Amino acid sequence: MALETEDPKSTAVDGSVGDRDPSDPMARSPLLELLVEHGKIDRQDAERVNRLANETHEQTDILLTRLGLITEDALAHLLSELLGIPLVDRSEYPDSPLLENQLGINFLREYRVLPVAETDQGLIVAMANPLDDYALNALRLATDNPIVARVGIPAEIEAAFEAMLAGSDVEVKALDVDGLGRFDDTGEDINRLRDLASEAPVIRLVNSIIGRAVETRASDIHIEPFERTLRIRYRIDGVLRDMQSPSNSLRAAVISRVKLMANLNIAETRLPQDGRIRLVNRGKEIDLRISTVPTMHGESVVLRILDKGGVDLGFDTLGFSDETLPRYLDILDRPHGIVLVTGPTGSGKTTSLYTSLLHLNNGEKKILTVEDPVEYQLDGVNQLQVKPQIGLTFANALRAFLRQDPDIIMIGEIRDVETAEIAVQAALTGHKVLSTVHTNDAASTITRLLDMGVEDFLLTSTINGITAQRLVRTICDRCREPIDVLPEIVSQFSLERYTDSDNITLYWGRGCEHCGGTGYHGRTSILEVLEMTDTIRSLVLRRAESQLIKQAGVEQGMKTMHQDGLAKALSGVTTLEEVLRVTHET
């Protein structure tokens, strides 16, 4: 079975590449040999993949991405280049299955092949691995047609399958045949539920839900059972979106599968539970934090996705402006004292702290962190996760940390006066302390700490600065367009203060395939940095209201989050609507 390539000599009839020594352990894996020959992986890695393939009977390209040797996207582009086979564009995949009476859906999904079109030359097929002789021969025999292989990105092939099945009951019927749809969700038959949650159809379904979430850059997966539906939603760029949901009859099996993966007690449905899943998805290492809460119609499950490879810990990507960054770094680089980052849940506080730690981690300092939970592991940083159930609280961990001779301590969150007082004492004794507090802006953080019971003179002696932040969605750069601004809008928000141009322009995203029609792709921070100056110290000692502290900060050069957001809107980073959604000026 010959592949259609630009150079017919590049690929043999049996799908092999070049002449091979039959005694070579790679002889049975044309893909591995191709990568070795072109220096993309070394022979030791190839032998390891080949050995695992023989032991597990998994496909070679899947093992390559699972071991992190190459990503799916990179492998697809590489195969296209080396074999001279075109990549299948996302728009080329059909809306409905081709030759569905001749080709079984299970076979196609298992081998990640999908017929794209029928032509005079033969059946054009998108393949994750065009060198798979078995799949090629099976397609030829099943269709009695020549096969024209094209390279397909596995994630796009899977997405095409999902789109084709979205309007049908094919997958649900296949599951119901196994008896999953007839499960009585009473919690009485736990052993049967455990067996059902371990069935291959449910495993594939849950893996597909997680895989699609990672592919769409979701930060959270919400699995919500209601009386007649099982609702699946992804939080993408901070906004929840409904996704194609499985049959409501599968809710017990789906939720139990997630709990089994997180090592939670599937028999306990009356109390909240928390867990963690660590996995490799399409060559990327992913951590999932799991939370279950009992509701009227079953357990609501939320999976927080921590994509280790998808986070860029750099100040240039966090949203610090040219005015704000030098101010923050000046505060951060002081030898001791407290630096606080504040904002609501999901505002990127932890990412800012991690970026700050990387800036400080020059090999000459001992850095300790106490977190709940540890979201990302940093090289050269000693990280500890609190465990209140055994008495390892923030306060107890900090007391132990101070005996470890640290230079820098990062506290995941200051939640109570005990933790706050230990942080203050650490700063007074020459340590640098970084932490977060849940408040609305930088100035109100001081009021919050005073309300906790921390003495005002201790705050003025230890706090170097406070950063407040929010996340706003950024406009998709592929469909961004300028829009005219009404004079009333310019006047209302004083937009002329944030640009040197006489022609004031705002932007919006029209919506395209890249951004899923939303007009937004990705997020960035809008920030304000309040420095503890003598003027601010005087106001704190007088127990002044947060509004007066904020006003004093602005007079001394602080740009508020609202102002930072308006400047980003005028520069085309985000929209005015996004800025107003997360901030307001009083």
Side-chain angles (χ1 to χ4, degrees), residues 45-328:
D45 284 333
E47 291 175 356
R48 179 161 61 112
V49 172
N50 193 67
R51 184 174 62 256
L52 287 173
N54 291 331
E55 293 174 356
T56 64
H57 303 290
E58 287 197 75
Q59 297 170 57
T60 303
D61 58 309
I62 294 178
L63 290 172
L64 282 166
T65 57
R66 182 171 298 170
L67 293 173
L69 298 175
I70 192 170
T71 65
E72 285 186 342
D73 190 74
L75 179 60
H77 283 84
L78 184 64
L79 286 173
S80 175
E81 177 185 349
L82 297 180
L83 299 177
I85 300 175
L87 264 175
V88 177
D89 188 79
R90 191 188 295 257
S91 61
E92 296 181 60
Y93 288 102
D95 296 328
S96 57
L98 298 178
L99 306 177
E100 56 182 327
N101 294 328
Q102 297 171 260
L103 299 172
I105 189 79
N106 292 333
F107 168 82
L108 295 177
R109 296 191 79 166
E110 181 179 354
Y111 287 91
R112 291 161 310 139
V113 297
L114 181 62
V116 174
E118 291 183 275
T119 67
D120 295 338
Q121 289 77 33
L123 181 66
I124 297 178
V125 179
M127 303 184 68
N129 180 11
L131 297 174
D132 188 337
D133 293 343
Y134 176 79
L136 284 168
N137 290 327
L139 289 169
R140 179 179 58 80
L141 292 173
T143 62
D144 197 25
N145 276 322
I147 303 300
V148 183
R150 296 288 183 262
V151 181
I153 297 175
E156 294 183 357
I157 293 176
E158 182 62 29
F161 276 119
E162 295 293 340
M164 286 190 293
L165 295 173
S168 69
D169 295 328
V170 174
E171 189 71 10
V172 172
K173 288 178 180 176
L175 293 171
D176 285 344
V177 167
D178 292 331
L180 301 181
R182 294 185 288 276
F183 179 76
D184 184 12
D185 187 10
T186 62
E188 297 175 358
D189 194 351
I190 300 304
N191 289 330
R192 181 168 177 244
L193 180 58
R194 188 185 301 275
D195 292 339
L196 294 177
S198 301
E199 291 284 344
V202 174
I203 292 174
R204 285 198 299 269
L205 179 59
V206 173
N207 288 347
S208 174
I209 291 171
I210 296 173
R212 277 183 290 169
V214 174
E215 179 192 351
T216 56
R217 303 176 297 103
S219 61
D220 303 86
I221 304 171
H222 292 250
I223 303 175
E224 303 164 313
F226 294 97
E227 184 176 4
R228 292 184 175 85
T229 60
L230 177 64
R231 191 180 193 186
I232 306 291
R233 294 194 290 173
Y234 295 165
R235 188 177 296 279
I236 303 173
D237 294 335
V239 178
L240 284 171
R241 299 187 200 172
D242 279 297
M243 308 305 293
Q244 180 69 27
S245 299
S247 169
N248 188 43
S249 61
L250 305 177
R251 63 183 179 184
V254 169
I255 293 171
S256 295
R257 174 61 191 166
V258 175
K259 293 173 72 174
L260 282 175
M261 294 172 69
N263 293 318
L264 301 180
N265 182 4
I266 65 170
E268 180 55 79
T269 60
R270 302 164 299 171
L271 295 173
Q273 296 186 67
D274 295 304
R276 192 165 190 167
I277 301 171
R278 183 168 296 169
L279 51 85
V280 176
N281 181 76
R282 306 192 189 282
K284 295 197 297 183
E285 193 173 344
I286 306 293
D287 272 359
L288 302 173
R289 283 164 44 191
I290 315 301
S291 171
T292 70
V293 174
T295 64
M296 286 290 294
H297 302 289
E299 292 177 281
S300 173
V301 181
V302 176
L303 298 85
R304 167 67 59 88
I305 301 172
L306 305 174
D307 183 356
K308 296 183 177 181
V311 178
D312 188 356
L313 299 177
F315 288 115
D316 54 339
T317 59
L318 285 183
F320 280 89
S321 66
D322 293 338
E323 298 176 42
T324 306
L325 182 56
R327 188 183 184 97
Y328 178 71

Side-chain angles (χ1 to χ4, degrees), residues 271-509:
L271 295 173
Q273 296 186 67
D274 295 304
R276 192 165 190 167
I277 301 171
R278 183 168 296 169
L279 51 85
V280 176
N281 181 76
R282 306 192 189 282
K284 295 197 297 183
E285 193 173 344
I286 306 293
D287 272 359
L288 302 173
R289 283 164 44 191
I290 315 301
S291 171
T292 70
V293 174
T295 64
M296 286 290 294
H297 302 289
E299 292 177 281
S300 173
V301 181
V302 176
L303 298 85
R304 167 67 59 88
I305 301 172
L306 305 174
D307 183 356
K308 296 183 177 181
V311 178
D312 188 356
L313 299 177
F315 288 115
D316 54 339
T317 59
L318 285 183
F320 280 89
S321 66
D322 293 338
E323 298 176 42
T324 306
L325 182 56
R327 188 183 184 97
Y328 178 71
L329 291 179
D330 176 64
I331 294 169
L332 185 64
D333 289 334
R334 296 177 189 177
H336 54 78
I338 299 176
V339 179
L340 296 174
V341 180
T342 184
T345 301
S347 60
K349 301 187 298 296
T350 303
T351 303
S352 294
L353 284 184
Y354 282 158
T355 303
S356 301
L357 288 179
L358 288 180
H359 171 77
L360 296 170
N361 187 19
N362 58 9
E364 299 176 355
K365 306 289 185 182
K366 183 176 181 66
I367 303 176
L368 299 173
T369 76
V370 52
E371 307 169 60
D372 184 21
V374 175
E375 295 194 6
Y376 301 102
Q377 296 179 18
L378 304 177
D379 290 337
V381 177
N382 299 278
Q383 297 173 267
L384 180 149
Q385 179 166 327
V386 299
K387 297 178 181 177
Q389 62 271 24
I390 61 172
L392 185 58
T393 62
F394 277 109
N396 290 338
L398 285 174
R399 290 191 186 95
F401 272 8
L402 293 176
R403 296 191 290 272
Q404 289 274 310
D405 186 31
D407 297 291
I408 301 168
I409 299 173
M410 192 269 270
I411 307 169
E413 181 184 348
I414 294 179
R415 300 177 178 176
D416 51 52
V417 64
E418 187 178 15
T419 304
E421 288 177 343
I422 297 174
V424 167
Q425 293 300 321
L428 286 173
T429 53
H431 300 88
K432 185 180 296 185
V433 180
L434 282 66
S435 188
T436 70
V437 183
H438 280 86
T439 54
N440 290 328
D441 58 18
S444 60
T445 303
I446 295 173
T447 306
R448 170 72 176 135
L449 293 172
L450 291 172
D451 290 342
M452 280 186 184
V454 183
E455 296 291 346
D456 49 18
F457 65 89
L458 292 176
L459 293 180
T460 57
S461 302
T462 57
I463 293 181
N464 292 333
I466 303 168
T467 298
Q469 66 181 68
R470 297 288 190 279
L471 290 178
V472 293
R473 292 181 289 176
T474 54
I475 303 174
C476 175
D477 56 5
R478 300 190 186 182
C479 62
R480 181 176 62 186
E481 294 180 350
I483 56 175
D484 295 329
V485 186
L486 295 174
E488 292 82 359
I489 298 295
V490 175
S491 175
Q492 179 181 354
F493 297 104
S494 302
L495 296 180
E496 69 279 356
R497 293 190 300 167
Y498 308 103
T499 179
D500 297 329
S501 174
D502 295 333
N503 184 21
I504 296 177
T505 305
L506 293 173
Y507 300 83
W508 77 302

Side-chain angles (χ1 to χ4, degrees), residues 522-542:
R523 290 189 290 177
T524 190
S525 301
I526 55 175
L527 310 104
E528 63 185 28
V529 179
L530 177 66
E531 184 179 358
M532 184 66 76
T533 63
D534 290 340
T535 302
I536 302 297
R537 289 188 180 94
S538 176
L539 290 171
V540 174
L541 292 172
R542 286 163 39 197

